Amino acid sequence: MPITLNANKFIGTLSNLICYTFYKDNYHLGDNIDALLDAFRSDDTINGDGKLVLTSDLPVVKDLVVNTSTLLTSVPPAIQEQYIPVTKFKYIQLTVNRYLMRGGFEDEYAMANLISYLLNNMRIAKRLQLKSDIETVITEILTNNPTTQTVAGLTKPTTNPTAVELNAVRTYNTNLIYRTLLSVIQKLGLGYELNVTDKTSDNDTFDAYERPDNIVCLISPSTMASMDVDTLATLLNSNKITQKINVNFIENETIDDGKVLLLSKDKIQYGYFYQVATSFFDASNLNQQDFLHFSYYCDQIERAPAVLIVCTNFHVA
């Protein structure tokens, strides 16, 4: 049965609906997405069509022998080159008709709020595209035989454990996993022979040196949830770990449960070739066309550290 309203009530009802319009933003990107994008952000390539990465092995240190050593021997450096081209050319389009949209809003301010919300979604879509491309590179690294460090000796809880027994198992396993992570980080500071991860063969290796503050650990959300966070906090605030080592965990669903991918921040790099936000007015239909164009590179650096931590017999939940 239809509801009959007089003119004043009808106009008042429309006004109330418009005044209380609310835009639910379903795309509040989490801290882990921001951390992932921030960790691997590199230089923009304003000119040219790519980025050239140069690396060189260390020179040989020799003993000086009087009356025998010569300075006339040529020892050219061995330079490895890796070219990372700009291959990503993307755009996002949004069409709005501000003239026809006026019929659905009480004033210009309310309509502007909606348009601002829609334009912000374009920026979020761009960041999620970058996240997807970084995850593609992560998958390539995992596929191409990274150096693996196994965490052996993890224990299982007994059948029907008490709360005390279960907590003891979780604490023991978490300490063991964390100790292995610290061991690998410390090895990188002293020199660690690693596989080159742009190849499926394990024959090509290089000596890696990396500072602890330039390392991130990618871990699956379920693994991070299973690890006892209180145990990590206790360790970090104890004298068992010096304050110069602070493990930077970033949760990402690309990593399998029970594994941690330890990376240099230089291992994965992305940077923009251009970012252009532009618009034009289509006089034939009164539409406003908004565009967000962005072009960039995204790839891995072959001779940058990557170590896969594998937790065998992973039972910490």
Side-chain angles (χ1 to χ4, degrees):
M1 180 177 179
I3 300 176
T4 302
L5 299 175
N6 60 37
N8 289 336
K9 290 184 177 180
F10 178 73
I11 294 175
T13 302
L14 289 181
S15 177
N16 286 335
L17 286 174
I18 295 170
C19 286
Y20 293 103
T21 299
F22 173 74
Y23 307 113
K24 176 62 181 77
D25 187 356
N26 289 323
Y27 302 103
H28 292 289
L29 302 187
D31 292 340
N32 283 296
I33 295 179
D34 289 338
L36 187 74
L37 297 180
D38 292 342
F40 301 123
R41 179 75 159 87
S42 188
D43 300 328
D44 295 337
T45 56
I46 305 301
N47 297 297
D49 60 355
K51 179 178 183 178
L52 185 62
V53 180
L54 302 177
T55 57
S56 174
D57 296 330
L58 293 175
V60 178
V61 179
K62 300 179 181 179
D63 292 324
L64 175 64
V65 180
V66 179
N67 298 326
T68 301
S69 298
T70 176
L71 301 178
L72 302 180
T73 303
S74 297
V75 186
I79 303 294
Q80 293 87 29
E81 296 184 358
Q82 180 186 356
Y83 178 64
I84 301 178
V86 174
T87 58
K88 314 290 186 181
F89 296 85
K90 309 288 185 181
Y91 79 94
I92 304 170
Q93 182 178 0
L94 173 66
T95 303
V96 295
N97 191 311
R98 288 172 169 80
Y99 292 94
L100 298 181
M101 288 173 62
R102 291 176 180 176
F105 295 91
E106 183 183 45
D107 53 34
E108 189 72 19
Y109 178 76
M111 184 177 71
N113 281 342
L114 174 61
I115 294 175
S116 176
Y117 165 74
L118 296 174
L119 291 174
N120 185 62
N121 279 351
M122 297 173 71
R123 183 189 66 85
I124 293 174
K126 182 192 73 170
R127 291 179 67 79
L128 290 177
Q129 176 63 47
L130 292 170
K131 171 181 176 289
S132 176
D133 288 324
I134 291 174
E135 289 175 343
T136 298
V137 177
I138 293 172
T139 300
E140 293 174 357
I141 294 173
L142 294 171
T143 301
N144 291 339
N145 190 42
T147 300
T148 301
Q149 176 70 52
T150 301
V151 183
L154 296 178
T155 185
K156 293 182 179 180
T158 60
T159 305
N160 300 322
T162 65
V164 174
E165 292 171 339
L166 182 58
N167 185 67
V169 169
R170 294 176 62 187
T171 300
Y172 173 83
N173 286 345
T174 303
N175 290 353
L176 191 58
I177 295 169
Y178 199 72
R179 190 181 302 120
T180 304
L181 288 173
L182 292 179
S183 174
V184 172
I185 292 173
Q186 290 168 334
K187 285 181 180 179
L188 285 171
L190 299 172
Y192 198 0
E193 186 177 71
L194 302 179
N195 295 341
V196 176
T197 55
D198 69 320
K199 304 176 184 296
T200 55
S201 169
D202 58 356
N203 296 325
D204 195 356
T205 61
F206 69 104
D207 290 329
Y209 292 81
E210 190 57 270
R211 303 185 311 276
D213 60 357
N214 202 45
I215 292 175
V216 297
C217 293
L218 301 181
I219 185 172
S220 71
S222 58
T223 302
M224 195 71 233
S226 297
M227 292 175 65
D228 190 345
V229 178
D230 290 336
T231 300
L232 295 182
T234 301
L235 286 172
L236 286 171
N237 290 301
S238 71
N239 58 7
K240 295 182 180 180
I241 299 177
T242 61
Q243 292 300 314
K244 67 179 180 180
I245 297 180
N246 184 17
V247 179
N248 182 11
F249 287 106
I250 300 177
E251 296 178 35
N252 188 271
E253 57 272 18
T254 308
I255 310 300
D256 291 337
D257 193 23
K259 296 181 179 180
V260 182
L261 182 60
L262 189 150
L263 293 173
S264 165
K265 290 181 180 179
D266 299 324
K267 183 63 177 177
I268 301 174
Q269 296 190 9
Y270 78 92
Y272 293 103
F273 180 45
Y274 60 72
Q275 297 184 81
V276 179
T278 186
S279 63
F280 70 90
F281 179 71
D282 188 346
S284 66
N285 53 22
L286 303 181
N287 284 340
Q288 180 80 20
Q289 301 285 1
D290 290 281
F291 291 89
L292 176 59
H293 287 265
F294 55 107
S295 176
Y296 56 99
Y297 65 88
C298 184
D299 207 340
Q300 62 165 303
I301 303 301
E302 299 169 359
R303 293 177 179 271
V307 181
L308 181 63
I309 311 295
V310 178
C311 306
T312 59
N313 187 27
F314 183 66
H315 293 277
V316 295

